[in-house]
């Protein structure tokens, strides 16, 4: 999976490409629903750093597993305390 930063793809293009991938996988989603999902994927730190096609592939693969996990890529979380 390519993790080239999405900032090399303009946001409007990223969303359009993501919508295209989402609708291939889930053709029953409306254009607006697919657009909403694409925007969420772009805003999410981990998927937003990927190319749109890779972001959709990542989410599909995570949802197919027994326990989907969507977590931040970095350890820095403002206001979060790690408990032991």
């Amino acid at each position: 999976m390519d993790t080239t930063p999405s900032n090399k793809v303009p946001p409007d293009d990223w969303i359009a490409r993501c919508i295209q991938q989402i609708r291939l996988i889930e053709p029953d989603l409306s254009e607006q629903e697919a657009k909403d999902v694409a925007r969420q994927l772009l805003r999410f730190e981990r998927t937003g750093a990927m190319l749109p096609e890779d972001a959709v592939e990542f989410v599909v693969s995570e949802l197919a597993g027994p326990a989907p996990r969507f977590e931040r890529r970095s350890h820095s979380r403002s206001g979060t305390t790690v408990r032991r």
Side-chain angles (χ1 to χ4, degrees), residues 3 6 8 23 25 28 32-34 40 42-43 45 47 49 52 68 74 77 80:
T3 56
S6 66
K8 294 188 178 190
R23 303 257 346 253
I25 292 166
D28 292 336
Q32 187 58 50
E33 290 170 323
Q40 291 173 22
L42 181 58
R43 284 193 300 258
E45 178 184 17
T47 52
S74 67
R77 297 180 183 165
T80 302

Side-chain angles (χ1 to χ4, degrees), residues 27-58:
D28 292 336
L29 283 181
S30 71
E31 184 76 17
Q32 187 58 50
E33 290 170 323
K35 189 173 192 175
D36 291 344
V37 171
R39 285 181 178 153
Q40 291 173 22
L41 292 179
L42 181 58
R43 284 193 300 258
F44 187 63
E45 178 184 17
R46 187 167 190 172
T47 52
M50 299 175 184
L51 291 174
E53 296 81 5
D54 295 334
V56 172
E57 180 183 326
F58 169 75

Side-chain angles (χ1 to χ4, degrees), residues 1 54-66 68 70:
M1 186 179 318
D54 295 334
V56 172
E57 180 183 326
F58 169 75
V59 170
V60 168
S61 69
E62 285 297 307
L63 290 175
F70 297 99

